[in-house]
């Protein structure tokens, strides 16, 4: 059918807190792409959120920016990185900044999930990226995962 659910407003989410222990809100979709550059009005994070999870697909690594980034044109305008460029670790690390994925996010109440670990040729690069994210952002933990295969590693700040 292709029909899309409408979101709840912040008051509705707050009322649900009286009934449920955990409420998971998908703030922003990425049209099936592993990375997203948020629009000026995104992310939409309820003020009462206790934790924010940022999910990135590692299947973007070695792909072209214009093929793996939703709204790649906005990414190019903000960073100067062309759509034909390859997504390297340093390009992916650029997403973890206050003007992209961390916009409006309290890093003290945030975790990163780097999914599709199984898609990497050099799997140790996922752990190097996780460490670099922690050093750059002060986010305390990054999960390196392959949700499909049930693999989850936690990299923590020490």
């Amino acid at each position: 059918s292709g029909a899309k659910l409408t979101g709840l407003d912040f008051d509705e989410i707050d009322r649900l807190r009286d009934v449920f222990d955990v409420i998971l809100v998908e703030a922003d979709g990425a049209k099936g792409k592993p990375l997203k550059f948020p629009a000026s009005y995104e992310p939409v994070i309820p003020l009462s959120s206790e934790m924010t999870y940022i999910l990135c697909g590692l299947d973007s690594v070695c792909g072209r920016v214009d093929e793996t980034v939703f709204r790649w044109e906005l990414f190019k305008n903000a960073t100067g990185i062309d759509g034909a460029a390859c997504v390297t670790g340093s390009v992916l690390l650029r997403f973890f900044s206050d003007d992209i994925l961390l916009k409006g996010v309290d890093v003290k109440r945030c975790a990163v999930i780097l999914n599709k670990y199984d898609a990497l040729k050099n799997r140790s690069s996922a752990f190097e990226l996780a460490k670099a994210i922690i050093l750059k952002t002060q986010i305390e933990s990054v999960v390196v995962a392959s949700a499909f295969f049930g693999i989850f590693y936690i990299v923590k700040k020490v």
Side-chain angles (χ1 to χ4, degrees):
S1 74
K4 193 169 184 179
L5 294 174
T6 59
L8 302 175
D9 65 36
F10 290 173
D11 290 336
E12 291 171 310
I13 293 169
D14 287 342
R15 285 194 299 276
L16 288 173
R17 294 170 62 93
D18 295 335
V19 180
F20 297 100
D21 294 331
V22 176
I23 301 167
L24 184 61
V25 177
E26 179 188 0
D28 300 311
K31 301 275 189 208
K33 300 221 175 172
L35 295 171
K36 176 181 182 176
F37 189 92
S40 60
Y41 53 86
E42 296 172 320
V44 180
I45 301 172
L47 299 174
S48 60
S49 295
E50 294 177 12
M51 192 71 175
T52 300
Y53 296 91
I54 298 173
L55 179 65
C56 291
L58 291 172
D59 54 335
S60 62
V61 175
C62 296
R64 288 173 51 115
V65 167
D66 59 2
E67 294 173 351
T68 61
V69 177
F70 177 53
R71 295 196 188 112
W72 70 268
E73 299 92 344
L74 296 177
F75 179 69
K76 178 184 177 185
N77 292 343
T79 65
I81 298 172
D82 190 69
C86 179
V87 177
T88 61
S90 62
V91 169
L92 190 54
L93 188 60
R94 177 61 181 91
F95 278 83
F96 292 91
S97 55
D98 292 338
D99 63 331
I100 305 179
L101 293 180
L102 299 181
K103 183 172 59 167
V105 172
D106 178 358
V107 296
K108 299 287 187 217
R109 299 184 303 151
C110 177
V112 172
I113 302 167
L114 301 175
N115 194 30
K116 298 185 183 177
Y117 165 73
D118 55 287
L120 292 175
K121 291 179 183 168
N122 176 9
R123 293 195 177 127
S124 65
S125 65
F127 298 98
E128 294 167 17
L129 179 60
K131 291 176 194 174
I133 290 169
I134 289 168
L135 287 172
K136 178 180 179 182
T137 66
Q138 302 304 308
I139 290 173
E140 295 191 8
S141 64
V142 175
V143 176
V144 175
S146 173
F148 183 79
F149 290 106
I151 299 169
F152 300 91
Y153 300 102
I154 298 176
V155 180
K156 289 189 169 237
K157 181 179 178 180
V158 288

